[in-house]
Amino acid sequence: QQQVKQSPQSLIVQKGGISIINCAYENTAFDYFPWYQQFPGKGPALLIAIRPDVSEKKEGRFTISFNKSAKQFSLHIMDSQPGDSATYFCAAPPRKLTFGTGTRLTIIP
Amino acid sequence: EPEVTQTPSHQVTQMGQEVILRCVPISNHLYFYWYRQILGQKVEFLVSFYNNEISEKSEIFDDQFSVERPDGSNFTLKIRSTKLEDSAMYFCATRQGTEQYFGPGTRLTVT
């Protein structure tokens, strides 16, 4: 099974700070890299995704950075807010999603 | 915005009993999935379904599991003889293009 390795497992960031979550993948055939956000008791919701033909994608406060040669991609949350407190999963696409182990993000005032 | 719905939201069953989890996909989506998430763990792929047949399944999806689209709208996951370790959140997901959209999940508790 293709592995998707995610770090850190948990992250505490002060309100207004930058949250950074990293993901590494193995299969160079992957062509789509999503990040999902999950609140307790809810299903994962697509947050942002990138294709490997670009190195960065920004949507509001959320940015994906993609490093094809290193087979890594990361999620940056700028100006982190308490409402961003959730578990974040990277995943490998798209026919079936292989999820990373998740990062529990807590934003403190 | 169209969404995936799942019923029931919570199902409690005794070990050895059969359960059926139901999903209503987004109407124009053609690819359907079931995933599960054991409490505190990552989301794991179970099975994908396209054109009325299974297109891929994981090693978790053994003979006690089955899926079907009985009436062209619902998409169901059946667990024939539940075990304690089947206790988890079960998520249905659907897609048309690249993005998968997840339902809110069914919490299955096997006692």
Side-chain angles (χ1 to χ4, degrees), chain A residues 1-12:
Chain A
Q1 183 177 355
Q2 300 298 335
Q3 292 295 318
V4 178
K5 296 180 182 177
Q6 186 174 341
S7 62
Q9 274 191 310
S10 63
L11 183 61
I12 299 174

Side-chain angles (χ1 to χ4, degrees), chain A residues 1 32 36 38 42-44 46 51 89 94-97 99-100, chain B residues 33 35 37 42-43 45 56 59 91 95 98-100 102-104:
Chain A
Q1 183 177 355
Y32 169 76
Y36 281 82
Q38 185 180 32
K42 303 292 184 184
L46 180 65
R51 293 199 176 274
F89 293 94
R95 290 185 344 269
K96 66 171 190 184
L97 289 173
F99 282 82
Chain B
Y33 304 81
Y35 293 83
Q37 185 179 32
K42 68 177 180 179
V43 179
F45 168 78
E56 192 167 357
E59 60 273 11
F91 295 106
R95 75 176 175 96
T98 307
E99 300 173 7
Q100 287 192 29
F102 283 74

Side-chain angles (χ1 to χ4, degrees), chain A residues 11-71:
Chain A
L11 183 61
I12 299 174
V13 174
Q14 206 145 28
K15 180 182 173 184
I18 302 173
S19 305
I20 301 175
I21 305 171
N22 300 299
C23 199
Y25 63 95
E26 295 179 351
N27 190 338
T28 54
F30 291 160
D31 60 358
Y32 169 76
F33 300 92
W35 283 95
Y36 281 82
Q37 180 188 56
Q38 185 180 32
F39 293 104
K42 303 292 184 184
L46 180 65
L47 184 63
I48 187 172
I50 197 170
R51 293 199 176 274
D53 53 346
V54 297
S55 59
E56 186 174 283
K57 181 177 179 181
K58 185 175 181 180
E59 289 183 358
R61 296 184 294 108
F62 301 93
T63 300
I64 293 182
S65 297
F66 181 74
N67 186 331
K68 190 173 183 177
S69 60
K71 294 191 286 185

